[in-house]
């Protein structure tokens, strides 16, 4: 499963690195031409992107500003962008990431009430989302709700 690059560049790399007589496997087929004109079919797959929705409920404290909410969104976006193919979406990872927006843990600007995640269109929950070997989590939306 390969993310990024052009199909031709990937086929070139796979063919150049595989052993003689070894086949390739995947849902895409690309014709690779060797320098002597011999053509070979190189197969590989692209990941399926899974749209993830993150809902964060926080309670404002006296030093909370809207820029803190923007920082939380930015940290969550960076966290999600760093996930690799097959990486699960972890509630613990999202909690730790959201808490990076706190500049003072002794007098926090917000209290994290909950984080729920879901695949877009499904019901949110506080459970990790397993991602299989041929898929990759892709951030669809982050919502911050202020609760009292």
């Amino acid at each position: 499963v390969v993310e990024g690059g052009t199909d031709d560049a990937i086929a070139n790399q796979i063919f150049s690195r595989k052993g003689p007589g070894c086949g390739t496997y995947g849902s895409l087929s690309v014709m690779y031409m060797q320098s002597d004109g011999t053509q070979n079919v190189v197969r590989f797959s692209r990941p399926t992107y899974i749209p993830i929705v993150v809902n964060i409920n926080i309670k404002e404290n006296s030093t909370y500003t809207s820029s803190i909410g923007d920082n939380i969104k930015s940290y969550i976006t960076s966290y999600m962008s760093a996930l690799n193919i097959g990486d699960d979406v972890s509630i613990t990872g999202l909690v730790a990431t959201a808490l990076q927006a706190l500049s003072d843990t002794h007098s926090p600007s917000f209290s994290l009430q909950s984080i729920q995640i879901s695949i877009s269109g499904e019901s949110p929950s506080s459970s990790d989302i397993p991602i299989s070997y041929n898929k990759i989590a892709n951030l669809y939306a982050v919502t911050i709700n202020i609760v009292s």
Side-chain angles (χ1 to χ4, degrees):
V1 180
V2 183
E3 184 181 36
T6 65
D7 290 352
D8 289 337
I10 292 165
N12 178 30
Q13 290 300 312
I14 291 172
F15 189 83
S16 298
R17 289 167 172 36
K18 76 175 195 68
C22 293
T24 56
Y25 175 80
S27 58
L28 295 175
S29 299
V30 177
M31 191 60 67
Y32 174 78
M33 187 177 302
Q34 293 177 248
S35 58
D36 67 359
T38 305
Q39 293 186 339
N40 298 277
V41 175
V42 176
R43 299 180 193 287
F44 61 93
S45 296
R46 296 286 191 174
T48 301
Y49 291 90
I50 305 300
I52 303 296
V53 176
V54 180
N55 294 307
I56 303 171
N57 293 317
I58 61 173
K59 180 180 176 187
E60 295 176 326
N61 294 334
S62 61
T63 57
Y64 181 84
T65 64
S66 62
S67 67
I68 293 169
D70 293 340
N71 288 342
I72 294 170
K73 286 182 180 182
S74 176
Y75 290 135
I76 295 293
T77 300
S78 294
Y79 171 82
M80 293 293 298
S81 296
L83 294 176
N84 293 309
I85 297 168
D87 284 350
D88 295 342
V89 182
S90 162
I91 287 290
T92 302
L94 289 166
V95 167
T97 299
L99 294 178
Q100 290 176 14
L102 290 175
S103 59
D104 182 358
T105 57
H106 296 290
S107 180
S109 55
F110 65 92
S111 295
L112 182 61
Q113 302 297 299
S114 69
I115 292 183
Q116 292 191 317
I117 56 177
S118 65
I119 295 172
S120 181
E122 295 183 7
S123 298
S125 78
S126 295
S127 298
D128 294 350
I129 297 176
I131 303 294
S132 63
Y133 77 96
N134 61 346
K135 297 179 179 174
I136 188 166
N138 186 35
L139 185 60
Y140 182 77
V142 177
T143 304
I144 297 179
N145 303 303
I146 307 299
V147 297
S148 45

